[in-house]
Amino acid sequence: MNNELKSHYDVIIIGGGITGAGTARDCAMRGLSVLLVERYDFTNGATGRNHGLLHSGARYAVTDSESASECIKENMTLRKIARHCVDETDGLFITLPEDDLNYQATFVEACHKAGIRADVIDPAQARELEPAVNPTLTGAVRVPDASIDPFRLTIANVVDARLHGAQLLNYHEVTGLIINQDRVEGVKLRDNHTGQQLEVHSSLVINAAGIWGMLIAQMAGVKVNMFPAKGALLIFGHRVNNMVINRCRKPANADILVPDDTVCVIGTTSDRVPIEECDHMRVTDEEVQVLITEGEKLAPALASTRILRAYAGVRPLVASDNDPSGRSISRGIVCLDHETRDGLAGFITITGGKMMTYRMMAEVATNLACKKLHIDKPCTTATTALPGSEEKKDEATLRTYSFAQKAADGRHGTYTKQIDEADLVDDALVCECEEVSVGEVKYAVDNLHVHNLLNLRRRTRVGMGTCQGELCSCRAANLLCKSETASKEAADLARFVDERWKGMKPVAWGDTLSEAQLTATIYEDLLGLNQFSSKEGGNQ
């Protein structure tokens, strides 16, 4: 990977979440010279802290028809261009005895108006389709929901942007903008590994930093009315449900249960938080209780299912410019041309929206960038498959795969063929829970911007299984020590284990507490990791 910087770029994109990665891909595919910068790791923010739901749009059909229409359009697109990231589960919207069954008709009508398939089915059929669903349901509607892996999706966009000539730097934080009179001409960066300061120039800067985008805008002297909305979620120890289960009511706390790889996720809550807290999200006891209580109403089996961990993200909600109170908050796509809005040329903000509408957001931002740079080239991201999704493996080929190869195929799609399987060592497992092999770790380090264990987790799912990194963390650290580019510090292992504990702490009872205590014994008492600093926590 060539990271030698150019003296000037057409576009610098700030933010390595799914919107920034998608925008980098679109810009690069249209022939622009692109630099994407991210202060920590790709997917460190809201992208890596959601429930992984590929919305049909049904959830918003009644309350936000515009967002609902955007969701169903992108839902169908992502199934085609990102098939290795999508699990086509379908979804149920259920009415419980305590809910108003009359709302179902309003819901279905709104779905159809937004172009969303919504089939009313008999509760008995719903129980047959999804045995985990609450058997007392009084109504059910089937919709084209699915689950999607945000980590795979983002890295696929990163890889494709790089293949089209973009340069991508994680761990490079924007400390200021280069402004000449009334024009933004580049960014000031700090390498968060080395402390090196540098300046990079461009014709345009695109602010795609999510909720942190309001701070980037402040650097330019302009205001974007954003309202951080914290959402807490719980991960359960196995996949209880095979279909997404939603409550058929207006959006509320803990009304979506999403099957996600080998686990399931209940979410979410919604509370406004100060921007100062967005880097240090903690899940409270009250949030855990709400998620458990409401989650059991969707699938009673959750009452006896082990909870692996809790986590929280921050939604980048945007208020209208003429509404400083924040009462008029949109979940739709917001693209701000600061030249026409604020008299500041060379600066664009793309925000709002949802993870699954990222491609549409990227298209909107890139269209504006091309207009300003006088580039006449159409967007092709909706019809061009992402790396890994070019073709689907046939069943005969999959039957020849080992468990580890099948798991890797689910994570990397067609790029699995680049993973070494030359000998027994390469095929040996680093992480039994998620079936991650030595060869897959090597592939990730060499190709997927892996600097440390946290990066590796996001690329391969090392440490995300039932044991939460109990043994695989040490094995993975050993492999990273043998690489030329990744961290060789014991503190990296300490930070990784601490980050696992951070998510387990709010739900540390029963088996989860026992697992955490065993992990502490291994890494503190036997390996002595408690002597190393872990002050950076999860912000990597």
Side-chain angles (χ1 to χ4, degrees), residues 204-224:
L204 282 175
V205 171
I206 298 178
N207 175 16
I211 196 63
W212 296 271
M214 64 186 293
L215 302 180
I216 300 296
Q218 287 175 14
M219 293 179 184
V222 298
K223 184 176 182 181
V224 178

Side-chain angles (χ1 to χ4, degrees), residues 79-247:
R79 289 171 190 258
K80 297 173 184 176
I81 70 167
R83 64 168 64 94
H84 78 291
C85 306
V86 175
D87 187 357
E88 298 188 359
T89 62
D90 252 15
L92 294 174
F93 273 77
I94 65 169
T95 303
L96 297 179
E98 64 202 75
D99 300 328
D100 180 8
L101 186 57
N102 293 324
Y103 182 78
Q104 186 184 85
T106 302
F107 170 77
V108 171
E109 181 182 1
C111 285
H112 290 164
K113 187 176 179 180
I116 303 164
R117 172 176 59 82
D119 303 323
V120 178
I121 62 175
D122 187 86
Q125 185 183 359
R127 289 192 291 268
E128 184 176 344
L129 287 170
E130 179 48 77
V133 75
N134 190 328
T136 67
L137 80 166
T138 59
V141 181
R142 187 172 184 174
V143 301
D145 280 342
S147 64
I148 187 165
D149 190 304
F151 303 107
R152 296 174 201 169
L153 184 65
T154 303
I155 294 304
N157 276 271
V158 164
V159 168
D160 208 26
R162 196 176 68 213
L163 289 173
H164 284 88
Q167 287 182 275
L168 304 104
L169 296 176
N170 49 357
Y171 298 99
H172 281 71
E173 183 169 356
V174 173
T175 57
L177 300 178
I178 301 170
I179 301 176
N180 184 5
Q181 296 182 345
D182 295 325
R183 173 175 289 275
V184 175
E185 296 185 343
V187 298
K188 299 176 182 179
L189 297 174
R190 179 181 64 241
D191 184 328
N192 279 336
H193 281 156
T194 67
Q196 178 187 6
Q197 307 277 343
L198 60 155
E199 294 187 358
V200 191
H201 291 80
S202 63
S203 299
L204 282 175
V205 171
I206 298 178
N207 175 16
I211 196 63
W212 296 271
M214 64 186 293
L215 302 180
I216 300 296
Q218 287 175 14
M219 293 179 184
V222 298
K223 184 176 182 181
V224 178
N225 290 324
M226 301 190 73
F227 294 84
K230 174 190 175 185
L233 306 99
L234 299 180
I235 302 176
F236 287 82
H238 65 270
R239 184 166 168 149
V240 169
N241 53 316
N242 289 314
M243 300 177 73
V244 178
I245 306 176
N246 308 258
R247 286 284 285 276

Side-chain angles (χ1 to χ4, degrees), residues 452-473:
N452 55 46
L453 285 166
L454 186 59
N455 303 161
L456 186 66
R457 173 180 68 80
R458 290 172 173 150
R459 313 299 189 262
T460 67
R461 294 185 65 86
V462 160
M464 293 178 75
T466 306
C467 80
Q468 291 291 286
E470 190 174 282
L471 294 176
C472 60
S473 302

Side-chain angles (χ1 to χ4, degrees), residues 211-364:
I211 196 63
W212 296 271
M214 64 186 293
L215 302 180
I216 300 296
Q218 287 175 14
M219 293 179 184
V222 298
K223 184 176 182 181
V224 178
N225 290 324
M226 301 190 73
F227 294 84
K230 174 190 175 185
L233 306 99
L234 299 180
I235 302 176
F236 287 82
H238 65 270
R239 184 166 168 149
V240 169
N241 53 316
N242 289 314
M243 300 177 73
V244 178
I245 306 176
N246 308 258
R247 286 284 285 276
C248 192
R249 63 183 185 185
K250 290 184 179 180
N253 285 340
D255 55 1
I256 308 175
L257 181 64
V258 183
D260 181 10
D261 266 290
T262 58
V263 299
C264 60
V265 179
I266 185 71
T268 175
T269 59
S270 184
D271 296 287
R272 183 178 174 184
V273 294
I275 185 66
E276 295 79 16
E277 292 184 14
C278 291
D279 281 329
H280 308 285
M281 288 288 97
R282 294 290 187 273
V283 178
T284 67
D285 292 344
E286 292 76 17
E287 288 167 334
V288 170
Q289 190 57 53
V290 166
L291 291 168
I292 293 174
T293 301
E294 295 300 315
E296 291 171 2
K297 295 177 182 178
L298 294 174
L302 293 182
S304 56
T305 302
R306 174 184 167 187
I307 305 172
L308 284 186
R309 62 190 292 108
Y311 65 102
V314 185
R315 305 175 187 89
L317 302 183
V318 185
S320 302
D321 284 340
N322 59 0
D323 176 35
S325 69
R327 292 189 178 90
S328 177
I329 293 180
S330 169
R331 287 176 183 260
I333 296 170
V334 177
C335 186
L336 302 175
D337 180 353
H338 292 288
E339 182 172 13
T340 58
R341 177 181 181 261
D342 304 296
L344 183 66
F347 191 49
I348 296 168
T349 292
I350 182 69
T351 190
K354 303 188 66 59
M355 179 190 72
M356 65 162 299
T357 59
Y358 86 90
R359 193 213 59 80
M360 186 182 288
M361 295 173 70
E363 181 176 349
V364 170

Side-chain angles (χ1 to χ4, degrees), residues 390-431:
E390 298 88 347
E391 60 187 24
K392 192 173 183 179
K393 289 284 195 311
D394 60 83
E395 289 300 318
T397 300
L398 288 174
R399 280 196 292 271
T400 68
Y401 278 14
S402 67
F403 287 118
Q405 289 169 327
K406 288 179 181 177
D409 184 75
R411 288 186 280 270
H412 309 292
T414 55
Y415 273 50
T416 306
K417 60 180 177 286
Q418 295 187 16
I419 297 174
D420 287 335
E421 301 163 3
D423 53 42
L424 291 175
V425 173
D426 285 331
D427 208 32
L429 292 180
V430 176
C431 175

Side-chain angles (χ1 to χ4, degrees), residues 47-70:
T47 298
R49 298 177 182 276
N50 57 65
H51 42 35
L53 174 62
L54 186 69
H55 281 280
S56 62
R59 177 174 169 81
Y60 305 111
V62 175
T63 58
D64 191 343
S65 59
E66 181 182 0
S67 289
S69 297
E70 291 172 352

